[in-house]
């Protein structure tokens, strides 16, 4: 009796979850559909949905010619790959030390690392700018990436993953004569692969879309990123052309959208395996 009594409640809950999921998906995709419509139609059809409206790629061509997008793409790619590479190395070594070595002040040091998770990045803008300026790195990719090289989030995730590695595997590697770094590379890193994938996706998407800090520390095309470069299309004096803005935005976000569509299953599975609730 109790089983039959609970079945309708479960089915109702599942139905509500499905409706909520579709509504969320619709809210997420509507702005994207609007941007696509606006980008592939003449400007006069930006806010007028007419199925007979002519299609055009001129907006993409005009947007590409209005700003040095090739340079922006190169800068952004170098930036996100460089930041991710440094984060992976530093976070791996720090997490390994916190997870498997006993040293004076370890818990205090790890607590200080976790404090970074509670601090909003915007609160550090002034101090970070002073530091970057003192180092003479203003208007460079180093200026954009340097404050993000050490990631408390990555250290936390990897430490949790490393602490779950069976000690028997470590002892077996040690019996074979492996030193500490070899054990890290052969045992810990392979078993933490889902965590690396999950964090890598988060890091790349965040730094690809980061706007405020790159805007503050860059002044020239040579070091400007895609998000900052989009400003050229929002000049009020020249008038705002939503068709060109939409085309430029789609070109900027296309790599992330394509990456998400191609790796969405791996993205979700990586987070589930990483234990992120």
């Amino acid at each position: 009796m109790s089983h039959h009594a609970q079945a309708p409640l479960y089915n109702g809950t599942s139905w509500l979850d499905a409706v909520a999921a579709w509504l969320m998906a619709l809210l997420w995709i509507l702005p994207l559909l609007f941007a696509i419509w606006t980008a592939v139609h003449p400007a006069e059809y930006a806010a007028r949905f007419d199925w007979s409206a002519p299609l055009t790629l001129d907006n993409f061509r005009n947007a590409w010619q209005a700003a040095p997008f090739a340079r922006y793409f190169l800068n952004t790619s170098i930036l996100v790959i460089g930041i991710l590479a440094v984060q992976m190395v530093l976070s791996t070594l720090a997490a390994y030390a916190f997870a498997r070595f006993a040293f004076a002040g370890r818990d205090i040091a790890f607590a200080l690392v976790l404090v970074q998770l509670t601090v909003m990045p915007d609160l550090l803008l002034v101090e970070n700018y002073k530091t970057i300026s003192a180092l003479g790195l203003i208007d460079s990719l180093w200026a954009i990436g340097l404050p993000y090289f050490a990631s408390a989030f990555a250290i936390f995730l990897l430490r949790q993953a490393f602490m779950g590695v069976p000690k028997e595997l470590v002892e077996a590697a040690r019996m074979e004569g492996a030193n500490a770094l070899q054990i890290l590379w052969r045992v810990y890193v392979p078993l933490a692969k889902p965590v690396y994938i999950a964090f890598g996706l988060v890091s790349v998407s965040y730094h690809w879309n980061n706007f405020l800090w790159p805007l503050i520390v860059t002044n020239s095309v040579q070091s400007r990123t895609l998000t900052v470069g989009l400003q050229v299309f929002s000049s009020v004096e020249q008038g705002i052309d939503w068709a060109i803005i939409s085309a430029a935005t789609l070109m900027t976000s296309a790599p992330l959208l394509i990456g998400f569509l191609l790796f969405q299953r791996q993205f979700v599975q990586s987070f589930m395996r990483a234990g992120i609730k």
Side-chain angles (χ1 to χ4, degrees):
M1 291 294 292
S2 60
H3 174 74
H4 293 292
Q6 293 179 3
L9 177 62
Y10 175 78
N11 291 335
T13 303
S14 299
W15 181 81
L16 289 175
D17 289 344
V19 171
W22 278 105
L23 286 175
M24 292 296 293
L26 187 62
L27 289 174
W28 180 86
I29 202 171
L30 277 178
L32 178 62
L33 293 177
F34 174 75
I36 294 174
W37 169 273
T38 307
V40 299
H41 290 90
E44 57 268 24
Y45 293 95
R48 181 158 56 95
F49 295 99
D50 184 352
W51 295 112
S52 61
L55 297 176
T56 180
L57 295 178
D58 289 342
N59 295 322
F60 291 96
R61 190 178 301 108
N62 294 335
W64 186 267
Q65 293 174 352
F69 268 101
R71 182 70 191 192
Y72 294 160
F73 270 105
L74 178 62
N75 289 343
T76 306
S77 300
I78 293 174
L79 181 70
V80 298
I81 294 173
I83 290 176
L84 180 60
V86 176
Q87 284 178 333
M88 290 296 192
V89 173
L90 294 181
S91 301
T92 297
L93 295 175
Y96 186 41
F98 284 129
R100 289 307 185 195
F101 292 97
F103 54 89
R106 181 185 66 174
D107 294 338
I108 295 176
F110 185 65
L112 291 175
V113 169
L114 293 182
V115 167
Q116 183 185 335
L117 294 175
T118 67
V119 178
M120 293 293 292
D122 294 350
L123 297 177
L124 303 175
L125 287 177
V126 175
E127 291 302 320
N128 283 342
Y129 186 87
K130 289 180 180 178
T131 303
I132 295 299
S133 180
L135 294 173
L137 297 176
I138 294 296
D139 197 26
S140 69
L141 293 181
W142 285 102
I144 304 174
L146 194 58
Y148 300 100
F149 281 172
S151 170
F153 184 49
I155 293 173
F156 171 75
L157 288 181
L158 289 172
R159 175 184 176 271
Q160 298 305 109
F162 289 169
M163 291 182 70
V165 173
K167 293 185 178 180
E168 292 77 10
L169 295 177
V170 179
E171 292 299 328
R174 188 173 288 120
M175 290 290 291
E176 294 179 2
N179 58 35
L181 287 178
Q182 289 173 331
I183 292 174
L184 170 63
W185 182 251
R186 296 177 184 176
V187 179
Y188 286 93
V189 171
L191 292 177
K193 182 180 177 182
V195 177
Y196 284 108
I197 295 175
F199 175 75
L201 293 170
V202 171
S203 177
V204 168
S205 62
Y206 176 83
H207 294 292
W208 189 276
N209 293 313
N210 194 12
F211 172 73
L212 184 57
W213 177 245
L215 173 65
I216 292 174
V217 296
T218 59
N219 306 313
S220 64
V221 172
Q222 283 68 31
S223 56
R224 196 168 290 159
T225 59
L226 279 167
T227 51
V228 179
L230 282 176
Q231 283 188 110
V232 72
F233 302 104
S234 59
S235 174
V236 178
E237 293 81 4
Q238 299 176 358
I240 298 177
D241 189 331
W242 290 109
I244 294 182
I245 289 178
S246 297
T249 303
L250 286 178
M251 288 193 296
T252 300
S253 57
L256 291 183
L257 289 173
I258 294 172
F260 176 76
L261 293 175
L262 291 177
F263 301 105
Q264 57 179 323
R265 180 172 298 178
Q266 292 89 330
F267 182 82
V268 175
Q269 290 177 350
S270 296
F271 269 102
M272 292 177 65
R273 293 175 184 173
I276 302 176
K277 305 299 182 185

